[in-house]
């Protein structure tokens, strides 16, 4: 009960911060969704760092270290690559968004291609991808509250209560509340994760080397990449897919708009790859749990960090760990809900009904917050995937937006609206086909060399996307040239 009280107190502090964040401001759509474009380096850093330390990292990272071993290190790699890319990519996106007054990811595609229809397509892909990401946060929230309460609060009740709090939190505070709470979250996470990652190996094994030797003796080959399945080719393709998709998440893309100036992103690009190293301590905690709390199978591996914490520490400290974990769900969960609701209201409903005013759009976005939350709640109780598996599926979807986005930044128009739309549709269709059928490249093409069979299927979808994008752009341009139609205008 002590642990649960600490968790509840942490949530109340987060809600108080949300109320403080909105004080004295008229929460129109621009203030609610992008903070009036007034965030400096610190708040933008916290929002971007909030994408590193979610329940995916807190529970999924340690869970994969516990259940998968060596392949878990892909989580450490892709963020660093994305942060390096951000030094050049994000200032360009920010300048264009500032000039055009954009509020969502779909706004960018609408403006670049002068196509509200493409904006609708991007919104649909984004919302569909965000649902499993939100499910991930809700699953993590339920696990944390249930485990820290010692089972007194059932998993289902914890998720329902957490969803209600999350929806209310988003509606009240918008992105400013997320930024303020991210400050508290990052301090707690930094202290908790580093402490656990150092203390647990020392306490149970006498050191890091001794821990890894013990694991290798008990489970030979566990700490390396296997020759089949999650092999080096799977590792590289998954890292690249996740790096390309990192800023394609609609809430990450939208967080770029909150900055006061473009220099913010260059400063953060220097620091964030170093900040990523804190993930190592999450892995150390998961690896320590392999021999200390053995026997967790499948998705139960996500419980490993909390189980070893409860076995090792007093209830009050378990509550501190649980409180930090709840914040890892609250911050990204709030951004996801807000972004999905904004795109549904502004980029789908308003396109269908152009007479809708800015004020009506803002009200509708807030009304849609609990609707999106309920949809995610439904899928939370109707899926058994592990936390990392849910995120990988979402990454496969949002990465399909990457080719059209990058090519649209070139001075010479390399892709037209038809090509961009066709590529996205085909890429998403391939992801959906693999996900729904459960098919693998091994099953579909057993004659392929093993490295090709082990490729992440999201990369296969991305290649299909690029092929169709290029072909449709070429064919439609040639058709327009034959008819003598004017070429599409390039949106600067």
């Amino acid at each position: 009960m002590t642990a649960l009280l600490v968790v509840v107190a942490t949530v109340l502090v987060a809600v108080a911060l949300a109320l403080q964040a909105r004080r004295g401001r008229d929460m129109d759509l621009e203030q609610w969704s992008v903070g009036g474009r007034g965030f400096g380096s610190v708040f933008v850093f916290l929002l971007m760092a909030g994408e590193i330390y979610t329940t995916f990292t807190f529970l999924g990272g340690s869970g994969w270290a516990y259940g998968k071993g060596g392949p878990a290190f892909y989580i450490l790699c892709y963020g660093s690559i994305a942060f390096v890319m951000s030094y050049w990519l994000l200032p360009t996106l920010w300048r264009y968004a500032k000039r055009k007054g954009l509020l969502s990811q779909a706004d960018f595609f609408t403006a670049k291609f002068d196509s509200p229809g493409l904006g609708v397509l991007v919104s649909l892909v984004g919302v569909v991808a965000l649902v499993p990401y939100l499910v991930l946060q809700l699953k993590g929230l339920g696990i944390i509250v249930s485990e820290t309460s010692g089972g007194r609060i059932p998993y289902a009740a914890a998720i329902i209560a957490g969803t209600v709090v999350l929806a209310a939190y988003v509606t009240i505070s918008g992105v400013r509340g997320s930024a303020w709470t991210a400050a508290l979250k990052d301090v707690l996470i930094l202290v908790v994760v580093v402490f656990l990652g150092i203390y647990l190996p020392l306490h149970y094994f006498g050191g890091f080397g001794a821990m890894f030797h013990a694991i290798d003796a008990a489970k030979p080959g566990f700490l390396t990449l296997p020759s089949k399945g999650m092999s080096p080719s799977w590792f590289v393709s998954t890292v690249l897919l996740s790096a390309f998709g990192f800023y394609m998440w609609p809430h990450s893309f939208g967080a770029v708009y909150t900055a006061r100036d473009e220099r913010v992103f260059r400063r953060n690009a220097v620091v964030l790859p170093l900040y990523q190293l804190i993930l190592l301590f999450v892995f150390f905690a998961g690896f320590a749990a392999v021999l200390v709390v053995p026997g967790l199978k499948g998705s139960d591996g996500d419980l490993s960090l909390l189980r070893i914490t409860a076995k090792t520490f007093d209830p009050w400290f378990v509550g501190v760990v649980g409180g930090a974990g709840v914040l890892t769900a609250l911050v990204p969960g709030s951004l996801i809900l807000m972004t999905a609701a904004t795109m549904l209201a502004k980029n789908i409903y308003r396109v269908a009904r152009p007479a809708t005013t800015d004020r009506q759009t803002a009200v509708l976005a807030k009304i849609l917050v609990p609707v999106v939350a309920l949809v995610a709640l439904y899928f939370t109780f109707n899926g058994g995937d592990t936390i990392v598996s849910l995120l990988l599926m979402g990454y496969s979807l949002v990465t399909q937006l990457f080719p059209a986005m990058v090519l649209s930044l070139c001075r010479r128009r390399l892709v037209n609206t038809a090509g961009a739309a066709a590529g996205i549709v085909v890429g998403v269709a391939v992801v959906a086909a693999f996900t729904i059928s459960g098919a693998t490249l091994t099953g579909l093409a057993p004659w392929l060399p093993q490295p090709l069979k082990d490729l992440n299927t999201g990369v296969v979808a991305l290649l299909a996307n690029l092929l169709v994008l290029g072909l449709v752009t070429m064919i439609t341009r040639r058709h327009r040239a034959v008819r003598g139609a004017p070429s599409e205008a390039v949106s600067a």
Side-chain angles (χ1 to χ4, degrees), residues 258-347:
T258 66
R260 184 183 301 135
D261 61 71
E262 64 185 76
R263 291 174 297 175
V264 165
F265 305 112
R266 295 194 175 98
R267 296 190 196 106
N268 285 345
V270 174
V271 179
L272 281 168
L274 296 174
Y275 198 57
Q276 181 88 338
L277 291 174
I278 297 171
L279 289 173
L280 280 172
F281 298 98
V282 176
F283 297 149
F284 293 157
F287 285 131
V290 170
L291 299 180
V292 177
V293 286
L296 300 177
K297 304 294 184 183
S299 60
D300 284 345
D302 294 331
L303 304 174
S304 59
L305 185 142
L306 295 174
R307 291 284 172 87
I308 192 172
T309 300
K311 181 174 180 176
T312 309
F313 300 103
D314 292 335
W316 71 267
F317 187 74
V318 175
V320 172
V321 175
V326 166
L327 294 181
T328 64
L330 197 60
V331 173
S334 63
L335 290 171
I336 292 167
L337 268 180
M338 180 176 54
T339 302
T342 299
M343 289 196 301
L344 288 171
K346 188 175 187 297
N347 300 110

Side-chain angles (χ1 to χ4, degrees), residues 80-428:
S80 299
I81 295 175
F83 296 141
V84 172
M85 290 168 49
S86 75
Y87 187 90
W88 294 277
L89 176 63
L90 299 193
T92 303
L93 295 179
W94 181 87
R95 285 195 299 270
Y96 186 76
K98 175 74 172 178
R99 188 165 67 249
K100 296 289 186 178
L102 310 182
L103 296 179
S104 69
Q105 181 188 53
D107 283 350
F108 175 88
F109 285 85
T110 297
K112 269 290 182 182
F113 291 91
D114 192 23
S115 172
L118 184 61
V120 171
L121 173 62
V122 169
S123 295
L124 291 173
V125 173
V127 171
V128 169
L130 285 174
V131 168
Y133 203 174
L134 185 55
V135 168
L136 181 155
Q137 308 307 326
L138 296 180
K139 281 178 174 284
L141 193 65
I143 289 170
I144 291 165
V145 174
S146 180
E147 288 290 314
T148 53
S149 70
R152 294 182 183 88
I153 297 181
Y155 174 70
I159 289 178
I160 293 171
T163 303
V164 171
V165 171
L166 183 59
Y169 172 90
V170 174
T171 304
I172 292 169
S173 66
V175 73
R176 289 187 176 274
S178 300
W180 281 50
T181 307
L184 173 63
K185 174 190 75 87
D186 274 25
V187 171
L188 271 178
I189 283 292
L190 186 64
V191 172
V192 166
V193 165
V194 171
F195 174 75
L196 290 177
I198 294 174
Y199 180 83
L200 292 173
L202 291 175
H203 178 71
Y204 284 106
F205 302 96
F208 297 102
M211 177 181 72
F212 287 120
H213 281 302
I215 294 173
D216 189 55
K219 304 178 73 171
F222 182 72
L223 300 171
T224 62
L225 296 177
S227 59
K228 295 181 179 180
M230 291 181 177
S231 64
S233 65
W234 172 88
F235 189 96
V236 171
S237 61
T238 301
V239 167
L240 290 176
L241 180 79
S242 301
F244 292 153
F246 193 91
Y247 290 108
M248 290 299 96
W249 287 102
H251 58 298
S252 299
F253 204 101
V256 174
Y257 301 165
T258 66
R260 184 183 301 135
D261 61 71
E262 64 185 76
R263 291 174 297 175
V264 165
F265 305 112
R266 295 194 175 98
R267 296 190 196 106
N268 285 345
V270 174
V271 179
L272 281 168
L274 296 174
Y275 198 57
Q276 181 88 338
L277 291 174
I278 297 171
L279 289 173
L280 280 172
F281 298 98
V282 176
F283 297 149
F284 293 157
F287 285 131
V290 170
L291 299 180
V292 177
V293 286
L296 300 177
K297 304 294 184 183
S299 60
D300 284 345
D302 294 331
L303 304 174
S304 59
L305 185 142
L306 295 174
R307 291 284 172 87
I308 192 172
T309 300
K311 181 174 180 176
T312 309
F313 300 103
D314 292 335
W316 71 267
F317 187 74
V318 175
V320 172
V321 175
V326 166
L327 294 181
T328 64
L330 197 60
V331 173
S334 63
L335 290 171
I336 292 167
L337 268 180
M338 180 176 54
T339 302
T342 299
M343 289 196 301
L344 288 171
K346 188 175 187 297
N347 300 110
I348 296 180
Y349 181 83
R350 194 168 183 174
V351 170
R353 303 194 63 171
T356 306
T357 65
D358 289 344
R359 184 173 182 81
Q360 289 171 331
T361 304
V363 171
L364 178 60
K366 294 175 183 178
I367 291 173
L368 286 171
V369 165
V371 175
V372 176
L374 286 172
V375 171
L377 193 62
Y378 170 80
F379 286 106
T380 301
F381 292 125
N382 290 274
D385 289 322
T386 65
I387 283 177
V388 174
S389 298
L390 284 170
L391 194 74
L392 286 174
M393 181 178 71
Y395 263 113
S396 295
L397 287 171
V398 296
T399 307
Q400 305 312 314
L401 304 177
F402 184 77
M405 185 277 294
V406 169
L407 293 174
S408 76
L409 299 176
C410 299
R411 290 188 177 183
R412 182 172 178 268
R413 174 62 65 83
L414 298 179
V415 58
N416 61 17
T417 304
I424 292 169
V425 168
V426 168
V428 168

Side-chain angles (χ1 to χ4, degrees), residues 128 379 385 393 396-397 427-440 444 457:
V128 169
F379 286 106
D385 289 322
M393 181 178 71
S396 295
L397 287 171
V428 168
V430 173
V431 172
F434 275 112
T435 302
I436 294 171
S437 68
T440 62
L444 293 175
T457 53

Side-chain angles (χ1 to χ4, degrees), residues 24-49:
R25 291 182 173 86
D26 178 21
M27 297 298 283
D28 59 15
L29 191 60
E30 186 175 46
Q31 279 288 347
W32 188 70
S33 61
V34 297
R37 306 181 200 278
F39 287 2
S41 297
V42 174
F43 272 172
V44 173
F45 174 86
L46 291 171
L47 287 175
M48 296 298 181

